Amino acid sequence: MIQSPVPVTRFAPSPTGYLHLGHAHSALFAWRSARSAGGRFLLRIEDIDASRCRPEFEAAILEDLAWLGLDWETPVRRQSDHLQDYAAALARLEAQGLLYPCFCSRAEALRAASAPHDADRPALYPGTCRNLPVAERAALRAEGRAFALRLDSEAAAAKTGPLFWTDRRRGRIAADELALGDVVLARKDTPTSYHLAVTVDDALQGVTLVTRGEDLFESTHVHRMLQALLDLPTPEYDHHGLLLGADGKRLAKRDRAVTLRALREAGTTPAETRALAGF
Ligand code: GLU
């Protein structure tokens, strides 16, 4: 593992709504993890889902974080400006024979995944399109049917062999390459996915410590595998606990009352807001 002498962290929100206290917690966590060790803090706008992202939310993210008292390096990386980086990574995976076209609609994939499964695991795509006969695949393509590209996780795991990563809380973790199954790495309307873009970006931006909520812990198994397949360095990870609302449930964008905007409009100061976010 190549480590720079000081940590480089990032906060990577998607501009699909206003930031809430949960985001503030995550941003402050990343900022403090870097700055308390003399490191660098980056901000990245994860806006590959054009149907859900809006420029006014991006502007609000910058404004709200600055109000909260954070600063970051510029230029800020915006994923939609770098689609060619993800296309290049996708081509490398394709050349290794590790991708297959999946013609299932999102609804079909969800239905297929909702067959009885291990309660501790998320419902996984059962691989319906993994073994489609070549002729059927060709016919569906010729028909112009939309498809997503999925990673053949078993083939990928066979290629990489055992992998490990380090989590600051949980220690050395053996990567479970099958944790999320055959994840989607690109769609027709979005030529990349969260997993691919985040892995490529963290490497290109020289991020050495990925901090994020523990809800994304399982994703790290996938990211570790993509790093191995794409010859990218492996950062250290720190998956932090999630901030819960008064009802004990995790905060979500729909909880409008706890957006940073709403707090500011109600007269809450940045210091009070940081305290509410656990800092
Ligand atoms: N963009 C992701 C989100 O808003 C965070 C990605 C990450 O930190 O890896 O949940």
Side-chain angles (χ1 to χ4, degrees):
M1 193 185 314
I2 305 164
Q3 287 289 1
S4 80
V6 292
V8 181
T9 70
R10 78 328 187 254
F11 175 56
S14 294
T16 55
Y18 293 118
L19 296 182
H20 55 61
L21 279 175
H23 295 111
H25 179 73
S26 219
L28 285 158
F29 189 96
W31 186 83
R32 200 184 59 173
S33 297
R35 294 293 171 79
S36 65
R40 298 165 48 209
F41 171 70
L42 312 176
L43 177 64
R44 182 167 74 226
I45 300 295
E46 304 217 318
D47 63 343
I48 50 173
D49 185 349
S51 65
R52 294 175 59 227
C53 295
R54 300 228 299 263
E56 60 268 34
F57 291 136
E58 180 181 321
I61 286 171
L62 304 184
E63 196 184 300
D64 291 351
L65 291 177
W67 172 77
L68 200 58
L70 299 192
D71 58 346
W72 52 87
E73 291 184 13
T74 51
V76 170
R77 185 174 170 98
R78 188 189 292 121
Q79 289 187 324
S80 60
D81 293 337
H82 296 276
L83 296 183
Q84 72 286 359
D85 291 334
Y86 316 128
L90 201 65
R92 280 187 69 177
L93 298 169
E94 178 108 69
Q96 295 176 62
L98 297 175
L99 304 181
Y100 64 86
C102 169
F103 299 91
C104 300
S105 65
R106 284 180 205 231
E108 277 163 2
L110 273 180
R111 231 189 346 266
S114 63
H117 60 276
D118 183 342
D120 292 339
R121 294 216 157 217
L124 301 182
Y125 177 68
T128 319
C129 290
R130 191 191 307 126
N131 300 314
L132 273 190
V134 177
E136 197 171 331
R137 233 176 232 179
L140 287 166
R141 279 194 173 191
E143 250 176 51
R145 276 273 293 270
F147 62 88
L149 287 174
R150 287 187 184 268
L151 180 69
D152 184 336
S153 52
E154 276 180 30
K159 184 150 200 151
T160 63
L163 298 170
F164 298 87
W165 46 282
T166 304
D167 184 271
R168 283 197 169 178
R169 269 146 226 258
R170 304 201 205 177
R172 188 168 188 252
I173 310 284
D176 173 1
E177 294 88 346
L178 309 180
L180 295 186
D182 290 356
V183 288
V184 168
L185 292 189
R187 291 185 192 280
K188 187 159 165 278
D189 43 346
T190 314
T192 180
S193 71
Y194 161 66
H195 297 298
L196 187 65
V198 92
T199 306
V200 168
D201 283 346
D202 284 336
L204 287 179
Q205 292 190 284
V207 172
T208 63
L209 172 62
V210 170
T211 69
R212 58 186 172 206
E214 61 189 11
D215 53 328
L216 289 170
F217 184 87
E218 297 291 318
S219 296
T220 304
H221 294 300
V222 178
H223 303 173
R224 179 67 192 91
M225 180 160 55
L226 292 174
Q227 287 153 8
L229 296 169
L230 296 167
D231 296 317
L232 302 175
T234 301
E236 190 184 1
Y237 289 86
D238 196 352
H239 292 92
H240 60 73
L242 301 177
L243 208 63
L244 303 178
D247 57 0
K249 296 213 186 96
R250 62 177 284 208
L251 300 173
K253 282 185 182 159
R254 60 183 177 275
D255 300 326
R256 302 195 57 191
V258 291
T259 64
L260 303 187
R261 254 136 232 240
L263 288 164
R264 176 160 37 142
E265 275 155 27
T268 317
T269 66
E272 286 162 350
T273 306
R274 287 196 296 272
L276 287 171
F279 283 85

Coordinates of all heavy atoms in Angstrom, one line a residue, residues 10-16 23 26 44-47 79 194 198-199 202 210-213 215-216 219-220 223 237 239 250 253, ligand 1:
R10 N -11.4 13.1 1.6 CA -12.4 13.8 0.8 C -13.8 13.6 1.4 O -14.1 12.7 2.1 CB -12.2 13.3 -0.7 CG -12.9 12.0 -1.2 CD -12.9 10.9 -0.2 NE -13.4 9.7 -0.8 CZ -14.6 9.1 -0.7 NH1 -15.5 9.7 0.1 NH2 -14.9 8.0 -1.2
F11 N -14.6 14.6 1.0 CA -16.0 14.5 1.3 C -16.7 14.5 -0.1 O -16.3 15.3 -1.0 CB -16.5 15.6 2.1 CG -18.0 15.7 2.3 CD1 -18.7 14.6 2.8 CD2 -18.8 16.8 2.0 CE1 -20.1 14.6 3.0 CE2 -20.2 16.8 2.1 CZ -20.8 15.7 2.7
A12 N -17.6 13.5 -0.4 CA -18.0 13.3 -1.8 C -19.5 13.3 -1.9 O -20.1 12.3 -2.2 CB -17.4 12.1 -2.3
P13 N -20.2 14.4 -1.7 CA -21.7 14.4 -1.7 C -22.2 14.4 -3.1 O -21.5 14.8 -4.1 CB -22.0 15.7 -1.0 CG -20.9 16.6 -1.3 CD -19.7 15.8 -1.4
S14 N -23.5 13.9 -3.3 CA -24.2 14.0 -4.5 C -25.1 15.2 -4.5 O -25.9 15.3 -3.5 CB -25.0 12.7 -4.8 OG -24.1 11.6 -4.9
P15 N -25.2 16.0 -5.5 CA -26.1 17.2 -5.4 C -27.5 16.9 -5.8 O -28.0 17.3 -6.8 CB -25.4 18.2 -6.4 CG -24.7 17.3 -7.4 CD -24.3 16.1 -6.6
T16 N -28.1 16.0 -5.0 CA -29.5 15.6 -5.2 C -30.5 16.2 -4.2 O -31.6 15.9 -4.2 CB -29.6 14.1 -5.2 OG1 -29.1 13.6 -3.9 CG2 -28.8 13.4 -6.3
H23 N -24.8 14.7 6.6 CA -23.7 15.1 5.8 C -22.7 15.9 6.5 O -21.5 15.8 6.3 CB -24.2 15.9 4.6 CG -25.1 15.2 3.7 ND1 -26.5 15.4 3.6 CD2 -24.9 14.1 2.8 CE1 -27.0 14.6 2.6 NE2 -26.1 13.8 2.2
S26 N -20.4 13.8 8.3 CA -19.5 13.1 7.4 C -18.4 14.1 6.9 O -17.2 13.7 6.9 CB -20.3 12.5 6.3 OG -19.8 11.3 5.9
R44 N -15.5 16.5 -3.5 CA -15.8 16.0 -4.8 C -17.3 16.0 -5.0 O -18.0 15.6 -4.1 CB -15.2 14.6 -4.9 CG -15.4 14.0 -6.3 CD -14.6 12.7 -6.5 NE -15.1 11.6 -5.7 CZ -14.3 10.8 -5.0 NH1 -13.0 11.0 -4.9 NH2 -14.9 9.8 -4.4
I45 N -17.7 16.4 -6.2 CA -19.2 16.4 -6.4 C -19.5 15.2 -7.3 O -19.1 15.0 -8.4 CB -19.6 17.7 -7.2 CG1 -19.2 19.0 -6.4 CG2 -21.0 17.7 -7.6 CD1 -20.0 19.1 -5.1
E46 N -20.3 14.3 -6.7 CA -20.7 13.0 -7.3 C -22.0 13.2 -8.1 O -23.1 12.9 -7.5 CB -20.7 11.9 -6.3 CG -19.4 11.8 -5.5 CD -18.9 10.4 -5.2 OE1 -19.7 9.6 -4.8 OE2 -17.7 10.2 -5.3
D47 N -21.9 13.7 -9.3 CA -23.1 14.1 -10.0 C -23.3 13.2 -11.3 O -23.7 13.8 -12.3 CB -23.0 15.6 -10.4 CG -21.8 15.9 -11.3 OD1 -20.9 15.0 -11.4 OD2 -21.9 17.0 -11.9
Q79 N -17.7 14.9 -11.0 CA -17.6 13.7 -11.8 C -18.1 13.8 -13.2 O -17.5 13.2 -14.1 CB -18.3 12.5 -11.1 CG -17.6 12.1 -9.8 CD -18.2 10.9 -9.1 OE1 -19.4 10.7 -9.1 NE2 -17.4 10.1 -8.5
Y194 N -21.6 4.4 -9.3 CA -21.0 4.9 -8.1 C -19.7 4.2 -7.8 O -18.6 4.7 -7.6 CB -22.0 4.7 -6.9 CG -21.3 4.7 -5.6 CD1 -20.7 5.9 -5.1 CD2 -21.2 3.6 -4.8 CE1 -20.0 5.9 -3.9 CE2 -20.5 3.6 -3.6 CZ -19.9 4.7 -3.2 OH -19.2 4.7 -2.0
V198 N -16.1 6.2 -8.0 CA -15.5 6.5 -6.7 C -14.1 5.9 -6.6 O -13.2 6.5 -6.1 CB -16.5 6.1 -5.6 CG1 -16.2 4.7 -5.1 CG2 -16.5 7.0 -4.4
T199 N -14.0 4.7 -7.1 CA -12.7 4.0 -7.1 C -11.7 4.7 -8.0 O -10.5 4.9 -7.5 CB -12.9 2.5 -7.6 OG1 -13.9 1.9 -6.8 CG2 -11.6 1.7 -7.4
D202 N -10.9 8.3 -6.3 CA -10.0 8.3 -5.1 C -8.6 8.1 -5.5 O -7.7 8.7 -4.9 CB -10.5 7.2 -4.1 CG -11.8 7.7 -3.4 OD1 -12.0 8.9 -3.3 OD2 -12.5 6.8 -2.9
V210 N -10.0 7.1 3.0 CA -11.4 7.2 2.6 C -12.2 7.2 3.9 O -12.3 6.1 4.6 CB -11.9 6.1 1.6 CG1 -13.4 6.2 1.4 CG2 -11.2 6.3 0.3
T211 N -12.9 8.3 4.2 CA -13.8 8.2 5.4 C -15.2 8.4 4.8 O -15.5 9.2 3.9 CB -13.5 9.4 6.4 OG1 -13.9 10.6 5.8 CG2 -12.1 9.4 6.8
R212 N -16.1 7.6 5.4 CA -17.5 7.6 4.9 C -18.4 6.8 5.9 O -17.8 6.1 6.7 CB -17.7 7.1 3.5 CG -17.2 5.7 3.3 CD -17.3 5.4 1.8 NE -16.7 4.1 1.5 CZ -16.2 3.8 0.3 NH1 -16.2 4.6 -0.7 NH2 -15.6 2.6 0.1
G213 N -19.7 6.9 5.8 CA -20.6 6.3 6.7 C -20.5 4.8 6.6 O -20.1 4.2 5.6
D215 N -22.7 2.7 6.4 CA -23.7 2.2 5.4 C -23.0 1.8 4.1 O -23.5 1.1 3.3 CB -24.8 3.1 5.1 CG -24.4 4.5 4.7 OD1 -23.3 5.0 5.2 OD2 -25.1 5.2 3.9
L216 N -21.8 2.4 3.9 CA -21.1 2.1 2.6 C -19.9 1.0 2.8 O -19.1 0.8 1.9 CB -20.5 3.4 2.0 CG -21.6 4.3 1.4 CD1 -21.0 5.6 1.1 CD2 -22.2 3.6 0.2
S219 N -19.6 -1.7 0.3 CA -19.2 -1.2 -1.0 C -17.6 -1.3 -1.1 O -17.1 -1.5 -2.2 CB -19.6 0.2 -1.3 OG -21.0 0.3 -1.3
T220 N -17.0 -1.2 0.0 CA -15.5 -1.2 0.0 C -15.0 -2.5 -0.5 O -13.9 -2.6 -1.2 CB -15.0 -0.9 1.4 OG1 -15.5 0.4 1.7 CG2 -13.4 -0.7 1.4
H223 N -14.9 -2.0 -4.2 CA -13.9 -1.0 -4.5 C -12.5 -1.6 -4.5 O -11.6 -1.4 -5.3 CB -14.0 0.2 -3.7 CG -15.3 0.9 -3.7 ND1 -15.7 1.9 -3.0 CD2 -16.4 0.5 -4.5 CE1 -17.0 2.2 -3.2 NE2 -17.4 1.4 -4.2
Y237 N -9.2 3.0 5.1 CA -10.6 3.3 5.2 C -11.0 3.6 6.7 O -10.4 3.0 7.6 CB -11.5 2.2 4.7 CG -11.4 2.1 3.2 CD1 -10.4 1.3 2.6 CD2 -12.3 2.7 2.3 CE1 -10.3 1.2 1.2 CE2 -12.2 2.7 1.0 CZ -11.2 1.9 0.4 OH -11.1 1.9 -1.0
H239 N -14.8 3.8 8.3 CA -16.3 3.9 8.1 C -16.9 4.3 9.5 O -16.8 3.6 10.4 CB -16.8 2.6 7.7 CG -16.4 2.2 6.3 ND1 -15.3 1.4 6.0 CD2 -17.0 2.5 5.1 CE1 -15.2 1.3 4.7 NE2 -16.2 1.9 4.1
R250 N -31.8 6.7 10.8 CA -30.7 7.5 10.2 C -31.4 8.7 9.4 O -32.5 8.6 8.9 CB -29.9 6.7 9.3 CG -30.6 6.1 8.1 CD -29.6 5.3 7.2 NE -28.9 6.3 6.4 CZ -28.4 6.0 5.2 NH1 -28.5 4.8 4.7 NH2 -27.7 6.9 4.5
K253 N -32.4 12.7 3.2 CA -32.6 14.0 2.6 C -34.0 14.5 2.8 O -34.3 15.7 2.7 CB -32.2 13.9 1.1 CG -30.7 14.0 1.0 CD -30.2 14.1 -0.4 CE -28.7 14.1 -0.4 NZ -28.1 13.7 -1.6
Ligands
GLU1 N1 -21.6 10.1 -3.0 C1 -21.8 9.2 -1.9 C2 -23.0 9.7 -1.1 O1 -23.4 10.8 -1.3 C3 -20.6 9.1 -1.0 C4 -19.5 8.3 -1.6 C5 -18.3 8.0 -0.7 O2 -18.0 8.6 0.3 O3 -17.7 7.0 -1.1 O4 -23.5 8.9 -0.4

